[in-house]
Every structure is written in structure tokens, then in C-alpha cells.
């Protein structure tokens, strides 16, 4: 046994609802290891989620957890952090939950720079409702609502977060388990809004119809197409075509919202 | 080389996605009736890839202590 997850799991809730081969379980394990390595008390962590496959995650872990309305995880998380600044608040959801239904909350949380952590589980599809295309479905990819291939351009979640003003933006994948754990840990420790996009796989909704024969082949696709940011610096745009960059993409220091708010209303001189 | 003392499989939680079998570098585990099963415990090098990548918390490898 390399690591005992039992301490942080609500074992009565397992097995989880995710399909066979869904990578969310792998990311959940990375998340548990990341929080455990920070030695935080269970009562000091709050995980807030919206609606969707990814948003079922808080149900399986034994922290303060909140399952909210579609796309509103960040709104609830903001309230939670303002009411109890001592909490370490994590808002998480899928790509549809965060960038389509909750898109407005997402950009304004980035702009506000409140000290919360946002994880976006990007599996390129709305898995739970029957594989409709989401804002992150790649061009040409099959979905039930794009049977001839996706015609629209897709969102780049990290670019969106950087543009909106997040102070820590990183990307990792479900395949790179150790990198995922390290990135999550850094995001938790960063003061200000930190956004981590985690590339995931949906074998049932996306993979089956997009030429991925097995769940493992989707993980191997991540391995083959992810380029570390340090390596990408020495690569030409032609070499990077079709690949995606993982690592810390953006990190700056900006005044945190709670401090500026307290100073503005005169709570702190 | 490290060896495994025991591989525990929680069949109730295994959904048979085959990720563990495909990532196993020595072929110590296999699929049997849509669930993971031990093929040859002797082959296991306790690399923990199956345990690390199982999305369902269904496989646990116990490393043999050095003699």
C-alpha cells in the first residue's frame, strides 16, 4: 500500500457513480494526497461543487462539502470564504459547469482575486446529460449535438482565466498523477484566485465515438500530447500544433480581495 | 527486486475498466469475468502503477518487506 485513502473517504458512498474508466477517480486520489501533504485539518477544508459528473466528487470525501446549483459553485464558495476567511475553499466543477453555465461567475471570480482555489475538470463533453458538446469540445469532434463534427471554436480555459485576471493559472492532466498532486498543492498555497485546468477523459461520452478504444488509450493520449512548459519554450509553433502545454502558465502577485475589501470599508487601517 | 506480498482486490468496487491491466508492466494481473484478477503474484514488482491509476480504489498492493 503506497497510500491509505480511507481516512478521507466516505466509504459508505462507494462505489462512485462515475463510469468504468472515468479519470475523475484518479484525480480524486491526487486531490486527497495533495490535501494530506498540506497537513490541513479536515474541518478547515471546504469543497464546493455545482452540477455534473465532476461535481459529484465532494460526496465521496470527508471534508466540509457543498453540492450547489448548476454553475454556481464559485458564487457559493465566494460567500463561504467571505463569511469564514479561515476556511481553505475549493470550488470545482466540470468544463460545462465552469465555463458555460457558470462562465460569468468564473471570469468575475478571476477578476476579484479572492483567495479561493478553482479546479476545472475538462473532459471536453457534457457527460452526465448524454454527451452534448460543451464549450471545450475540440473542433471536428463528435458529440450527440454535433453528429457531423463540432463546428465551433473551443474555449481555452487557461487563457480565459489569465485574461480575466486570475493570479495563478496552471494546467495538468489525469495521466500525470504526481504533477497533478504537486500543481494542486501549489494552487492551494497560492494567495489569490488560483485556477487549475485538469485534462480528463470521458470514455463513455467522448472517447467511444472519437476513436479512443479503451479508457487507458485516453490516458496515453494525454501522455503523448502534453508538453511541459519548460520544454515548450524551446519548441516552434509547428512542433506544438495539436499539443497542449502543462505546468504553471501564469503566476503573479496582486492584492487579495479580502484585504482590499477590509481596507476599503475601514476594517483595517 | 521488490516483490508484492499480497494484492487486495475489492471486487464490489471494481468496474472492469482495464486501466490497471494495461498499465501493469509485467502482466501480473488480468481480466476475469469483467473484473480484475491476479494472474501471477510472483511477476508483480510492486511498482504500484495499478494502485496509483485505479479510479475506483479497488486494487491495493502490499509490498513485501525486505528480508
Amino acid at each position: 500500500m503506497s497510500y491509505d485513502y480511507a481516512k478521507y473517504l466516505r466509504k459508505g458512498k462507494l462505489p462512485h457513480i462515475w463510469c468504468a474508466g472515468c479519470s475523475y477517480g484518479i484525480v480524486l486520489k491526487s486531490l486527497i494526497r495533495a490535501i494530506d501533504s498540506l497537513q490541513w485539518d479536515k474541518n478547515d477544508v471546504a469543497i464546493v461543487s455545482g452540477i455534473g459528473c465532476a461535481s459529484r466528487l465532494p460526496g465521496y470525501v470527508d471534508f466540509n462539502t457543498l453540492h450547489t446549483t448548476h454553475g454556481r459553485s464559485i458564487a457559493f464558495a465566494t460567500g463561504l470564504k467571505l463569511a469564514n476567511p479561515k476556511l481553505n475553499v475549493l470550488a470545482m466543477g466540470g468544463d460545462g459547469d465552469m465555463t458555460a453555465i457558470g462562465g460569468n461567475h468564473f471570469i468575475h471570480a478571476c477578476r476579484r482575486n479572492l483567495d479561493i482555489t478553482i479546479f476545472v475538470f475538462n473532459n471536453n463533453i457534457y457527460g452526465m446529460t448524454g454527451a452534448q458538446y460543451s464549450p471545450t469540445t475540440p473542433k471536428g469532434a463528435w458529440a450527440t449535438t454535433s453528429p457531423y463534427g463540432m463546428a465551433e471554436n473551443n474555449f481555452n480555459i487557461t487563457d480565459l482565466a489569465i485574461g480575466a485576471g486570475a493570479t495563478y493559472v496552471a494546467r495538468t492532466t489525469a495521466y500525470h498523477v504526481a504533477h497533478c498532486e504537486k500543481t494542486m498543492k501549489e494552487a492551494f498555497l497560492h494567495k489569490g484566485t488560483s485556477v487549475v485546468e485538469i485534462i480528463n477523459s470521458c470514455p463513455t461520452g467522448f472517447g467511444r465515438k472519437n476513436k479512443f478504444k479503451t479508457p487507458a488509450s485516453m490516458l496515453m493520449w494525454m501522455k503523448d500530447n502534453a508538453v511541459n512548459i519548460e520544454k515548450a519554450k524551446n519548441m516552434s509553433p509547428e512542433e506544438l500544433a495539436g499539443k497542449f502545454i502543462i505546468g504553471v502558465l501564469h503566476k503573479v502577485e496582486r492584492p487579495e480581495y479580502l484585504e482590499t475589501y477590509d481596507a476599503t470599508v475601514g476594517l483595517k487601517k | 527486486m521488490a516483490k508484492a506480498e499480497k494484492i487486495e482486490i475489492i471486487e464490489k468496487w471494481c468496474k472492469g475498466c482495464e486501466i490497471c491491466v494495461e498499465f501493469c508492466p509485467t502482466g501480473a494481473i488480468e481480466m476475469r469475468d469483467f473484473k480484475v484478477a491476479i494472474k501471477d503474484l510472483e511477476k508483480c514488482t510492486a511498482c504500484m502503477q495499478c494502485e496509483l491509476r485505479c479510479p475506483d480504489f479497488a486494487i491495493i498492493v502490499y509490498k513485501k518487506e525486505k528480508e
Side-chain angles (χ1 to χ4, degrees):
Chain A
M1 189 187 291
S2 55
Y3 183 84
D4 188 10
Y5 301 93
K7 189 180 152 196
Y8 293 96
L9 285 177
R10 291 176 179 150
K11 277 182 128 179
K13 298 273 184 192
L14 290 171
H16 48 59
I17 63 140
W18 299 319
C19 302
C22 175
S23 62
Y24 287 169
I26 307 171
V27 179
L28 168 61
K29 287 164 105 170
S30 296
L31 174 66
I32 291 175
R33 289 197 304 271
I35 294 179
D36 186 57
S37 67
L38 290 166
Q39 299 281 311
W40 281 345
D41 190 85
K42 276 196 233 177
N43 292 322
D44 294 340
V45 181
I47 304 185
V48 189
S49 72
I51 298 294
C53 294
S55 299
R56 296 294 292 253
L57 185 147
Y60 307 114
V61 282
D62 191 19
F63 301 106
N64 300 297
T65 57
L66 187 60
H67 194 192
T68 72
T69 48
H70 207 351
R72 271 65 188 163
S73 53
I74 295 172
F76 283 83
T78 303
L80 208 57
K81 183 75 185 177
L82 287 174
N84 189 352
K86 281 185 192 135
L87 275 179
N88 299 299
V89 181
L90 164 66
M92 46 125 346
D95 47 313
D97 191 57
M98 282 291 184
T99 57
I101 299 99
N104 243 315
H105 292 292
F106 180 76
I107 53 173
H108 290 286
C110 294
R111 171 179 67 84
R112 206 174 282 132
N113 200 29
L114 180 68
D115 186 18
I116 57 171
T117 312
I118 301 169
F119 288 172
V120 186
F121 288 54
N122 182 2
N123 62 358
N124 307 117
I125 206 115
Y126 284 103
M128 187 173 266
T129 48
Q132 290 86 359
Y133 71 73
S134 80
T136 53
T137 305
K139 214 170 188 177
W142 181 95
T144 48
T145 44
S146 64
Y148 303 106
M150 175 70 162
E152 301 167 14
N153 289 315
N154 59 332
F155 254 147
N156 183 332
I157 297 175
T158 47
D159 282 356
L160 179 71
I162 295 168
T167 45
Y168 179 96
V169 182
R171 192 190 282 123
T172 180
T173 80
Y175 170 83
H176 300 86
V177 272
H179 182 263
C180 186
E181 184 188 330
K182 195 183 112 208
T183 311
M184 284 174 167
K185 201 174 154 183
E186 270 180 35
F188 278 127
L189 290 174
H190 178 79
K191 199 160 175 63
T193 301
S194 40
V195 177
V196 181
E197 179 192 6
I198 305 155
I199 306 288
N200 273 287
S201 62
C202 177
T204 308
F206 188 83
R208 216 160 38 95
K209 295 290 187 108
N210 286 296
K211 298 191 176 110
F212 291 103
K213 282 190 175 165
T214 59
S217 68
M218 297 192 85
L219 293 176
M220 294 317 281
W221 177 87
M222 293 175 201
K223 183 196 173 192
D224 296 338
N225 289 289
V227 182
N228 196 288
I229 185 145
E230 294 302 325
K231 197 184 168 193
K233 278 174 189 162
N234 303 322
M235 285 168 81
S236 65
E238 291 81 37
E239 285 175 310
L240 281 170
K243 310 255 182 201
F244 59 89
I245 298 168
I246 60 167
V248 182
L249 305 171
H250 182 70
K251 192 178 180 184
V252 288
E253 295 290 327
R254 230 164 25 94
E256 197 266 327
Y257 179 65
L258 270 172
E259 288 169 2
T260 47
Y261 181 83
D262 285 353
T264 312
V265 299
L267 283 170
K268 209 166 82 181
K269 273 156 196 138
Chain B
M1 197 181 282
K3 288 271 172 202
E5 190 178 295
K6 189 176 83 172
I7 301 174
E8 188 188 339
I9 292 161
I10 306 168
E11 281 204 12
K12 214 169 68 183
W13 291 357
C14 177
K15 290 176 185 151
C17 68
E18 292 187 43
I19 287 178
C20 54
V21 175
E22 294 210 22
F23 273 94
C24 180
T26 59
I29 46 178
E30 63 176 353
M31 296 307 290
R32 212 178 287 157
D33 296 332
F34 303 106
K35 302 259 177 188
V36 60
I38 300 159
K39 189 177 172 188
D40 186 356
L41 189 62
E42 279 300 301
K43 277 187 182 173
C44 179
T45 56
C47 69
M48 303 286 173
Q49 281 290 317
C50 56
E51 191 190 305
L52 195 65
R53 298 190 187 279
C54 173
D56 295 285
F57 302 89
I59 187 163
I60 302 161
V61 181
Y62 294 92
K63 213 174 190 169
K64 203 180 259 181
E65 294 299 318
K66 273 187 187 150
E67 283 142 20

